[in-house]
Amino acid sequence: MLLPLILTAAVSLLPGASAQFSETFNFSACSIKALGGTYTIAQVNLSAEIVQVCFESEVCLRVALSSASNVASETRSGNQGPGSLYHRNIPGLTGTSSCLSTLRILNSNQVEIFILHFRTFGEQGVLQSVPNGNGLNVTILFNGEEVDQDTGQGGRIFTDISGCQHDGTYYFSDTTSCDSEGGFVNCSAESVLTVLPQTNTDCVRDVNVCTVTASNVVSFDANYSVSVEDRCAYTLFSEPDVRVVGVFKERRRKDVMFLDYVIVHLMDSDTTVQLGPADRVKVNDTELNLNSSVETHGGVEVRKNDTGVTAVMSYAVNYTTSVFFNGNTAQVFMTYVWVLADDDYEDNTSREGLCANSSLTLNEAKSSDFSSDSCEMQYNEPADPSINCTAVTKHCQILNGTDFTDCHADINPEPYFRACNRTLCHYPDVDGLKCEFLEAYAHACSLKNNHTLDSWRTDANCSDPLTFCQDTRCVDHEFCADGVNGGIGCFCRAIFASNQTLDVLPVCVDNSASVTLVGCLLEERGVEYRQLHLNNDSCTGQVNESNHMVTFGFDSQDPCGLLITANATHVLYENTLVNASGVPEPFQMDLSCFQTQPELMNMTFRMQSNSVMQQMVSGSWNYTLNMTAYKDSEHKYMVEPNVAIQLNQSIFVEMMTEGLDGNLVSLLTNSCWATAGPSPDDGLRYDLISNGCSQSSRLVKVGINGQTTSSDFSFHMFHFVQSGNEIYLHCNIVLCPNQKGDCQPSCGGGRVPNEGRRRSARSAYVDENPALISMSWII
């Protein structure tokens, strides 16, 4: 009988027992053979009810004895050969013993109440217990696990404590078994150990492998396969303690799905381990930073290497379930313990999922708790004319060729061939996909029967396996793939990309502008966002790590090489997004915002209020324009409504805006004139300001003009002799880009200004469509 026992730490007394006596005894003069080991040191502990004897913490004897208080030991010589009392009581005992080792258990009166005699016969050992009238209850343990127990009353009891030890496991005499590595172990009737390596045929194990690659699920027995056609999650494998779910998504085409990641859900601990995308591992939504070491989470052993990530669940006694994922292919495999080839083993565990149940439909296998909304939506796309299905079929036939002959007896290659042919006849050969189906079959073969295959890589022009897209982190609407210019990048999934474009308009708000580009669209163009900048090459993009959107922006504080121009209708704010110099793939995107010149307004008031205010809506900017009349140059005292104004009294007028950015634009009072009627085109007219300059230095004085977002001027009150008492003041204003500092008019002295200097100062803008604001009062 084989008892696979696990090595434990130091031996202790039974729970609740406290040692009253503890001593170490040396038996080097007559070593003790017990459970396949040879020992010279015995550690004896006494408690109120237990005597415990341990040899190097591996082998222990426990005797239920309530009155023990002391222990004595002795060794003595004396031969015991065939025909002895030992041989008559232990069938199969051979050889001769030349000495005896004894432990005498004493009570408080130093009277023997229990004796343990040990004799060694070659590789065999015998324990003789002498209860001295006490009830016999001796338990024998190996590494903390019970091996045997003797009970009885009265006289001498002989116990065979022979056997063999191998790799931390105890084997009874006259038994054969298999070790954890598949080696054949024989412990003879005389306790002589023989171990043969795994290459022999005495030990076998069963490995069931289910492969999920692209959209294809190949069952454990490799006799059938199914193809997933939507973006839902499906149960691949389940049994009472664990569930394995595969989540599928599209890549470059909407109508071909790929396994994106795998979820392992342990029911008892409610632990969720996610493998993928790529080599990422999450435990309950927390990503692990795995290296070559093994970590255990919720009963799942997780490890990572250059070929992929693996989760191992040892929740069953006789087998383990493992899930391997390399970024493209997942393999669920159950590995049973090594057993003798002629042993009968029956596994009655109930299992479900696409890997285990050929009658299960996709709808029945769908896992709604891990599926996204509308995942059932399916798409049809035109065939890819670049795909040569005949050549694809020839390539996939490598699976049926001589390179894989060693595997054919263990795993049927036909479902793998169908998966290869089905996928590559509809999807382009990119991202190592052409080799992935061959790799999946080879790996399944190595798991099933430890086959090592190499020649197929040369024939199929495939390199050694590595986890695809190691350390590349893509977001949900992306997938990892070979970049256009080499290397690895994150590309847009087809469904997402169909609703996205790089041709986007900037967002213009409050004298600032920004544009946000989809990172995966840039990747498809072969554009590295880190190499993009605005006119000022220090103005680069900021990437949002949660969605890989890249934003470029500028404002008045950081204009990033902003160019400002104006025409008759708009003030334009322009910038350009370009590649860094020397980048082979050219990229240029013009960004612009505009502010419309104020529309023509003719607002007439009879001085019922002392100012005129108009809310202006100009492109993406909102601002207000105020025209206010004052009685003093400091603009403290406004002209009150319905108060008479004396002839030649000075009137001070201020144009004030709110909402314009003075770093980008200035307000220019281009012309002001008075009329006798409400129309600015009234025939009776008097010019106060023209081309930004006073038309009479004695009557009109221009203050701030074209320097900020406000302007002011003053004039002496007058009236039209030929008309009534109403006077209407009209002012034509324009917005002037002040980037070059040429908005301020240059005016000469005298009543008629120097026209040449004015034109030079105003060359940045020609007033083709002036805006008009008017004010009226009664003299």
Side-chain angles (χ1 to χ4, degrees):
M1 175 183 178
L2 170 64
L3 291 180
L5 303 175
I6 302 172
L7 187 63
T8 60
V11 175
S12 61
L13 293 174
L14 290 175
S18 58
Q20 299 174 342
F21 172 92
S22 180
E23 189 169 339
T24 300
F25 297 91
N26 191 318
F27 292 101
S28 57
C30 185
S31 60
I32 297 172
K33 196 77 172 181
L35 303 190
T38 302
Y39 305 100
T40 59
I41 300 296
Q43 175 70 40
V44 180
N45 293 318
L46 305 184
S47 69
E49 297 180 351
I50 295 293
V51 175
Q52 181 168 275
V53 180
C54 289
F55 304 100
E56 298 182 10
S57 300
E58 292 177 350
V59 177
C60 290
L61 310 178
R62 282 179 178 162
V63 182
L65 201 62
S66 59
S67 57
S69 65
N70 202 352
V71 180
S73 69
E74 67 173 318
T75 59
R76 62 187 180 191
S77 59
N79 291 332
Q80 293 287 327
S84 70
L85 189 61
Y86 290 90
H87 291 79
R88 294 197 300 272
N89 281 276
I90 304 295
L93 184 65
T94 62
T96 301
S97 173
S98 61
C99 62
L100 176 71
S101 297
T102 300
L103 286 171
R104 300 181 184 277
I105 315 301
L106 312 175
N107 62 16
S108 57
N109 296 321
Q110 303 302 303
V111 176
E112 291 180 350
I113 58 176
F114 207 97
I115 304 172
L116 298 172
H117 295 301
F118 300 92
R119 276 192 177 272
T120 297
F121 297 83
E123 295 297 322
Q124 297 173 286
V126 177
L127 166 65
Q128 180 189 166
S129 305
V130 184
N132 282 347
N134 293 284
L136 176 66
N137 190 340
V138 178
T139 302
I140 304 172
L141 304 101
F142 181 79
N143 286 336
E145 297 287 340
E146 183 177 320
V147 173
D148 199 1
Q149 187 175 82
D150 281 337
T151 59
Q153 293 285 338
R156 301 172 181 270
I157 305 297
F158 292 87
T159 303
D160 187 356
I161 56 173
S162 303
C164 304
Q165 292 184 27
H166 170 63
D167 197 23
T169 300
Y170 167 69
Y171 298 86
F172 283 101
S173 299
D174 198 19
T175 60
T176 56
S177 186
C178 301
D179 64 16
S180 61
E181 300 299 323
F184 175 76
V185 180
N186 176 258
C187 185
S188 70
E190 295 79 22
S191 298
V192 177
L193 176 68
T194 303
V195 179
L196 300 178
Q198 190 268 322
T199 53
N200 74 90
T201 58
D202 294 299
C203 293
V204 296
R205 65 173 180 172
D206 190 17
V207 180
N208 291 335
V209 183
C210 172
T211 297
V212 188
T213 183
S215 63
N216 310 277
V217 182
V218 181
S219 65
F220 281 126
D221 58 13
N223 286 329
Y224 69 92
S225 65
V226 294
S227 179
V228 174
E229 297 179 347
D230 57 28
R231 296 170 294 115
C232 297
Y234 291 92
T235 298
L236 305 175
F237 169 77
S238 70
E239 56 184 6
D241 296 308
V242 67
R243 180 168 58 134
V244 180
V245 176
V247 182
F248 295 81
K249 292 184 180 180
E250 87 283 6
R251 291 186 184 175
R252 302 177 192 268
R253 291 177 61 95
K254 301 177 186 178
D255 57 347
V256 179
M257 299 302 120
F258 288 85
L259 180 66
D260 196 52
Y261 57 92
V262 180
I263 295 171
V264 178
H265 184 202
L266 267 70
M267 308 304 185
D268 288 344
S269 62
D270 197 25
T271 299
T272 299
V273 179
Q274 177 178 318
L275 309 180
D279 61 349
R280 278 184 280 181
V281 177
K282 291 182 179 179
V283 175
N284 295 335
D285 293 327
T286 300
E287 185 167 345
L288 304 182
N289 184 21
L290 284 177
N291 48 34
S292 58
S293 61
V294 176
E295 295 187 14
T296 301
H297 299 271
V300 182
E301 203 175 77
V302 186
R303 59 177 179 265
K304 172 182 173 182
N305 58 27
D306 289 342
T307 63
V309 291
T310 304
V312 181
M313 295 144 283
S314 301
Y315 52 86
V317 175
N318 50 6
Y319 67 91
T320 61
T321 299
S322 305
V323 181
F324 167 81
F325 186 61
N326 67 0
N328 284 317
T329 295
Q331 285 170 317
V332 183
F333 54 102
M334 294 183 298
T335 305
Y336 293 87
V337 296
W338 291 92
V339 295
L340 293 173
D342 56 355
D343 279 358
D344 292 328
Y345 177 76
E346 184 176 356
D347 182 6
N348 295 317
T349 304
S350 174
R351 299 187 176 91
E352 285 294 333
L354 296 177
C355 289
N357 188 345
S358 60
S359 63
L360 196 67
T361 66
L362 282 171
N363 190 55
E364 291 171 331
K366 185 168 30 176
S367 175
S368 58
D369 47 346
F370 292 114
S371 295
S372 60
D373 295 337
S374 303
C375 67
E376 301 93 344
M377 180 72 69
Q378 296 184 23
Y379 299 84
N380 291 316
E381 288 201 84
D384 188 335
S386 68
I387 296 176
N388 183 340
C389 195
T390 301
V392 165
T393 302
K394 182 178 179 181
H395 169 79
C396 295
Q397 283 288 1
I398 294 175
L399 289 163
N400 293 313
T402 57
D403 287 331
F404 290 101
T405 299
D406 290 344
C407 295
H408 293 164
D410 295 318
I411 300 179
N412 181 8
E414 188 58 28
Y416 291 84
F417 166 76
R418 290 196 301 268
C420 176
N421 201 56
R422 178 192 298 135
T423 303
L424 292 178
C425 279
H426 293 86
Y427 195 87
D429 171 26
V430 291
D431 310 327
L433 188 61
K434 192 172 183 179
C435 296
E436 188 59 33
F437 297 94
L438 309 183
E439 188 68 62
Y441 184 67
H443 191 242
C445 185
S446 68
L447 292 172
K448 181 71 176 178
N449 210 359
N450 202 28
H451 289 297
T452 301
L453 306 172
D454 294 316
S455 60
W456 71 269
R457 296 187 187 281
T458 302
D459 294 342
N461 194 26
C462 295
S463 58
D464 290 338
L466 288 175
T467 304
F468 192 63
C469 294
Q470 283 196 71
D471 304 320
T472 299
R473 297 294 181 260
C474 300
V475 295
D476 286 345
H477 63 259
E478 300 172 337
F479 69 96
C480 188
D482 288 326
V484 175
N485 298 320
I488 299 298
C490 294
F491 286 67
C492 295
R493 297 189 186 276
I495 297 174
F496 173 81
S498 64
N499 298 314
Q500 302 295 323
T501 178
L502 283 177
D503 186 18
V504 294
L505 295 175
V507 177
C508 305
V509 178
D510 297 334
N511 304 314
S512 66
S514 64
V515 64
T516 299
L517 305 180
V518 181
C520 56
L521 291 182
L522 290 172
E523 187 73 44
E524 289 181 2
R525 283 273 303 271
V527 176
E528 169 55 60
Y529 83 88
R530 296 177 183 84
Q531 296 174 337
L532 294 178
H533 60 78
L534 295 170
N535 285 339
N536 185 333
D537 58 11
S538 66
C539 293
T540 55
Q542 300 296 318
V543 65
N544 184 333
E545 294 296 342
S546 66
N547 59 18
H548 284 188
M549 301 296 184
V550 186
T551 300
F552 299 84
F554 55 88
D555 55 30
S556 58
Q557 301 301 317
D558 193 4
C560 295
L562 178 66
L563 299 176
I564 307 174
T565 58
N567 57 28
T569 58
H570 297 86
V571 177
L572 299 177
Y573 303 84
E574 298 178 296
N575 218 316
T576 304
L577 187 60
V578 295
N579 259 1
S581 59
V583 175
E585 180 67 27
F587 183 88
Q588 179 173 326
M589 178 181 288
D590 294 324
L591 314 176
S592 64
C593 292
F594 68 91
Q595 182 173 339
T596 58
Q597 297 282 19
E599 297 178 0
L600 181 65
M601 299 182 302
N602 189 354
M603 300 182 62
T604 304
F605 294 85
R606 294 178 56 83
M607 285 305 295
Q608 294 179 359
S609 64
N610 46 24
S611 67
V612 180
M613 181 181 72
Q614 176 65 32
Q615 181 71 28
M616 311 294 292
V617 179
S618 302
S620 300
W621 284 265
N622 294 319
Y623 66 93
T624 58
L625 173 64
N626 289 274
M627 181 179 183
T628 308
Y630 295 88
K631 294 188 293 185
D632 63 306
S633 60
E634 287 79 20
H635 301 164
K636 294 181 179 180
Y637 305 103
M638 290 187 289
V639 176
E640 298 179 6
N642 301 319
V643 173
I645 299 174
Q646 301 298 318
L647 191 64
N648 289 325
Q649 180 179 340
S650 293
I651 301 298
F652 299 87
V653 180
E654 181 181 42
M655 303 287 186
M656 179 69 71
T657 63
E658 293 180 5
L660 291 177
D661 192 328
N663 292 313
L664 304 178
V665 69
S666 294
L667 183 71
L668 177 66
T669 302
N670 190 52
S671 60
C672 287
W673 66 97
T675 61
S679 172
D681 298 322
D682 194 286
L684 193 58
R685 169 184 177 130
Y686 177 66
D687 288 323
L688 302 178
I689 298 174
S690 180
N691 289 326
C693 299
S694 169
Q695 295 299 291
S696 172
S697 60
R698 183 177 63 84
L699 297 177
V700 180
K701 296 193 180 299
V702 178
I704 297 173
N705 197 17
Q707 302 173 48
T708 66
T709 56
S710 64
S711 65
D712 64 84
F713 66 95
S714 66
F715 67 95
H716 290 275
M717 197 62 205
F718 64 95
H719 70 95
F720 291 98
V721 178
Q722 304 96 325
S723 183
N725 294 331
E726 292 183 354
I727 292 183
Y728 295 84
L729 179 64
H730 313 278
C731 287
N732 182 299
I733 63 162
V734 295
L735 300 179
C736 176
N738 61 10
Q739 187 182 29
K740 299 180 180 180
D742 58 359
C743 291
Q744 185 178 358
S746 177
C747 302
R751 192 177 188 286
V752 180
N754 187 314
E755 295 294 328
R757 294 180 63 188
R758 271 200 308 275
R759 283 194 299 271
S760 174
R762 297 293 324 288
S763 61
Y765 179 75
V766 176
D767 182 12
E768 299 176 5
N769 188 21
L772 188 68
I773 186 167
S774 301
M775 175 182 288
S776 66
W777 62 95
I778 299 174
I779 300 176

